[in-house]
Coordinates of all heavy atoms in Angstrom, one line a residue:
D264 N 44.4 178.5 96.4 CA 45.6 179.4 96.4 C 46.8 178.7 95.8 O 47.6 179.4 95.2 CB 45.9 179.8 97.9 CG 46.1 178.6 98.9 OD1 45.2 177.6 98.8 OD2 47.0 178.6 99.7
L265 N 46.9 177.4 96.0 CA 48.1 176.6 95.4 C 47.9 176.5 93.9 O 48.9 176.6 93.2 CB 48.2 175.2 96.1 CG 48.5 175.2 97.6 CD1 48.7 173.8 98.1 CD2 49.6 176.1 98.0
N266 N 46.6 176.3 93.4 CA 46.5 176.3 92.0 C 46.7 177.6 91.5 O 47.4 177.7 90.3 CB 45.1 175.8 91.7 CG 44.9 174.4 92.0 OD1 44.2 174.1 93.0 ND2 45.2 173.5 91.3
A267 N 46.4 178.7 92.0 CA 46.7 180.0 91.6 C 48.1 180.3 91.5 O 48.6 180.8 90.6 CB 45.9 181.0 92.4
A268 N 48.9 179.9 92.5 CA 50.3 180.1 92.6 C 50.9 179.3 91.5 O 51.8 179.8 90.8 CB 50.8 179.7 94.0
R269 N 50.4 178.1 91.2 CA 51.1 177.3 90.1 C 50.8 177.8 88.8 O 51.7 177.7 87.9 CB 50.7 175.7 90.4 CG 51.4 174.8 89.5 CD 51.1 173.4 89.8 NE 49.7 173.0 89.5 CZ 49.1 171.8 89.7 NH1 49.8 170.9 90.3 NH2 47.8 171.7 89.4
M270 N 49.6 178.3 88.6 CA 49.3 178.9 87.3 C 50.1 180.1 87.0 O 50.5 180.4 86.0 CB 47.8 179.2 87.1 CG 47.4 179.6 85.8 SD 45.6 179.4 85.4 CE 45.6 179.7 83.7
T271 N 50.3 180.9 88.1 CA 51.2 182.1 88.0 C 52.6 181.7 87.6 O 53.2 182.3 86.8 CB 51.2 182.9 89.3 OG1 49.9 183.2 89.6 CG2 52.2 184.0 89.3
S272 N 53.1 180.6 88.2 CA 54.4 180.1 87.9 C 54.5 179.7 86.3 O 55.4 180.0 85.6 CB 54.8 178.9 88.8 OG 56.0 178.4 88.4
S273 N 53.4 178.9 85.9 CA 53.4 178.7 84.5 C 53.4 179.9 83.6 O 54.0 179.8 82.6 CB 52.2 177.7 84.2 OG 52.2 176.6 85.0
L274 N 52.5 180.7 83.9 CA 52.4 182.0 83.1 C 53.7 182.7 83.1 O 54.2 183.2 82.1 CB 51.3 183.0 83.7 CG 49.9 182.5 83.6 CD1 48.9 183.2 84.4 CD2 49.5 182.7 82.1
E275 N 54.4 182.8 84.2 CA 55.8 183.5 84.2 C 56.8 182.8 83.4 O 57.6 183.4 82.7 CB 56.2 183.6 85.7 CG 55.4 184.6 86.5 CD 55.8 184.6 88.0 OE1 56.4 183.6 88.4 OE2 55.5 185.6 88.7
R276 N 56.6 181.5 83.3 CA 57.7 180.7 82.5 C 57.5 181.0 81.0 O 58.4 180.9 80.3 CB 57.4 179.2 82.8 CG 58.4 178.2 82.0 CD 59.8 178.5 82.5 NE 60.7 177.5 82.0 CZ 61.3 177.6 80.7 NH1 61.0 178.7 80.0 NH2 62.1 176.7 80.4
L277 N 56.3 181.3 80.7 CA 55.9 181.7 79.3 C 55.8 183.1 79.0 O 55.5 183.5 77.9 CB 54.6 181.0 78.9 CG 54.4 179.5 79.0 CD1 52.9 179.2 78.8 CD2 55.2 178.8 78.1
R278 N 56.2 183.9 79.9 CA 56.1 185.3 79.8 C 54.7 185.9 79.4 O 54.5 186.8 78.6 CB 57.2 185.9 78.9 CG 58.6 185.8 79.4 CD 58.8 186.8 80.6 NE 58.7 188.2 80.2 CZ 58.6 189.2 81.0 NH1 58.8 189.0 82.4 NH2 58.5 190.5 80.6
M279 N 53.7 185.2 80.0 CA 52.4 185.7 79.8 C 51.9 186.4 81.0 O 52.4 186.3 82.1 CB 51.4 184.5 79.5 CG 51.8 183.7 78.2 SD 50.8 182.2 78.0 CE 49.3 182.9 77.6
P280 N 50.8 187.3 80.9 CA 50.4 188.1 82.0 C 49.8 187.3 83.2 O 49.2 186.2 83.1 CB 49.3 189.0 81.4 CG 48.8 188.2 80.3 CD 49.9 187.5 79.8
T281 N 50.1 187.8 84.4 CA 49.7 187.1 85.7 C 48.6 187.8 86.3 O 48.0 188.9 85.7 CB 50.8 186.9 86.6 OG1 51.3 188.3 86.9 CG2 52.0 186.1 86.0
F282 N 48.2 187.4 87.5 CA 47.0 188.0 88.2 C 47.2 187.8 89.7 O 48.2 187.0 90.1 CB 45.8 187.4 87.7 CG 45.8 185.9 87.5 CD1 46.0 185.1 88.6 CD2 45.7 185.5 86.3 CE1 46.1 183.7 88.5 CE2 45.7 184.0 86.1 CZ 46.0 183.1 87.2
E283 N 46.4 188.4 90.5 CA 46.5 188.3 92.0 C 45.7 187.0 92.2 O 44.6 186.9 91.7 CB 45.9 189.5 92.7 CG 46.7 190.8 92.5 CD 48.1 190.6 93.3 OE1 48.2 189.8 94.3 OE2 49.0 191.3 92.9
A284 N 46.2 186.2 93.1 CA 45.6 184.9 93.4 C 44.1 185.1 93.9 O 43.2 184.4 93.5 CB 46.3 184.2 94.4
V285 N 43.8 186.1 94.8 CA 42.7 186.2 95.5 C 41.6 186.7 94.3 O 40.4 186.1 94.4 CB 42.7 187.4 96.4 CG1 41.3 187.7 96.9 CG2 43.5 186.9 97.7
A286 N 42.0 187.4 93.4 CA 41.1 187.8 92.3 C 40.7 186.8 91.4 O 39.6 186.5 91.0 CB 41.7 189.1 91.4
F287 N 41.7 185.8 91.1 CA 41.5 184.7 90.3 C 40.6 183.7 91.0 O 39.6 183.3 90.2 CB 43.0 184.0 90.0 CG 42.9 182.7 89.4 CD1 42.6 182.6 88.2 CD2 43.2 181.5 90.1 CE1 42.5 181.5 87.4 CE2 43.2 180.2 89.4 CZ 42.8 180.2 88.2
V288 N 40.7 183.5 92.2 CA 39.8 182.6 93.0 C 38.4 183.2 93.0 O 37.4 182.4 92.8 CB 40.3 182.3 94.3 CG1 39.3 181.5 95.2 CG2 41.6 181.5 94.3
E289 N 38.3 184.5 93.1 CA 36.9 185.0 93.2 C 36.2 184.9 91.8 O 34.9 184.7 91.8 CB 37.0 186.5 93.5 CG 37.4 186.8 95.0 CD 36.4 186.1 96.0 OE1 35.2 186.1 95.8 OE2 36.9 185.6 96.8
C290 N 37.0 184.9 90.8 CA 36.3 184.7 89.4 C 35.9 183.2 89.3 O 34.8 183.1 88.7 CB 37.3 185.0 88.3 SG 37.7 186.8 88.2
L291 N 36.6 182.3 89.8 CA 36.2 180.9 89.8 C 35.0 180.7 90.7 O 34.1 180.0 90.3 CB 37.4 180.0 90.2 CG 38.7 180.0 89.5 CD1 39.6 179.1 89.9 CD2 38.4 180.0 87.9
K292 N 34.9 181.4 91.8 CA 33.8 181.3 92.7 C 32.5 181.8 92.0 O 31.4 181.3 92.1 CB 34.0 182.1 94.0 CG 35.0 181.4 94.9 CD 35.0 182.4 96.3 CE 35.8 181.7 97.3 NZ 35.9 182.6 98.5
A293 N 32.8 182.9 91.2 CA 31.5 183.5 90.4 C 31.0 182.4 89.5 O 29.7 182.3 89.3 CB 32.0 184.7 89.7
L294 N 31.9 181.7 88.8 CA 31.4 180.6 87.9 C 30.7 179.5 88.7 O 29.7 179.1 88.2 CB 32.7 180.0 87.0 CG 32.4 178.8 86.2 CD1 31.3 179.2 85.2 CD2 33.7 178.4 85.6
L295 N 31.3 179.1 89.8 CA 30.6 178.1 90.5 C 29.2 178.6 91.2 O 28.2 177.7 91.2 CB 31.5 177.6 91.7 CG 32.7 176.8 91.3 CD1 33.8 176.8 92.4 CD2 32.2 175.3 91.1
R296 N 29.1 179.8 91.5 CA 27.8 180.3 91.9 C 26.9 180.2 90.8 O 25.6 179.8 91.0 CB 27.9 181.7 92.4 CG 28.6 181.9 93.7 CD 28.5 183.2 94.3 NE 29.5 183.5 95.4 CZ 30.7 184.1 95.2 NH1 31.1 184.5 94.0 NH2 31.5 184.3 96.3
E297 N 27.2 180.5 89.6 CA 26.3 180.5 88.4 C 25.9 179.1 88.1 O 24.7 178.8 87.7 CB 27.0 181.2 87.3 CG 25.9 181.6 86.1 CD 24.9 182.5 86.6 OE1 25.2 183.4 87.5 OE2 23.8 182.4 86.0
D298 N 26.9 178.2 88.2 CA 26.6 176.7 87.9 C 26.7 175.8 89.0 O 27.1 174.7 88.9 CB 27.5 176.4 86.8 CG 27.3 176.9 85.4 OD1 26.2 177.4 85.2 OD2 28.0 176.6 84.5
A299 N 26.1 176.4 90.2 CA 26.1 175.4 91.4 C 25.5 174.2 91.3 O 25.8 173.2 91.8 CB 25.5 176.3 92.6
G300 N 24.4 174.1 90.4 CA 23.7 172.9 90.2 C 24.5 171.9 89.5 O 24.1 170.6 89.4
W301 N 25.6 172.2 89.0 CA 26.5 171.3 88.2 C 27.6 170.7 89.2 O 28.3 169.9 88.5 CB 27.1 172.0 87.1 CG 26.1 172.3 85.9 CD1 25.2 173.2 85.9 CD2 25.9 171.5 84.7 NE1 24.5 173.3 84.7 CE2 24.9 172.2 84.0 CE3 26.5 170.3 84.2 CZ2 24.4 171.7 82.8 CZ3 26.0 169.9 82.9 CH2 24.9 170.6 82.3

């Protein structure tokens, strides 16, 4: 959640689109599930 909040802050500083933290973390979880062996 802290990484998501910090990335949101960085995106806002650059006027780039942001996202909901929960959705962002779920996307990362999906990657980890797919590559759990790594």
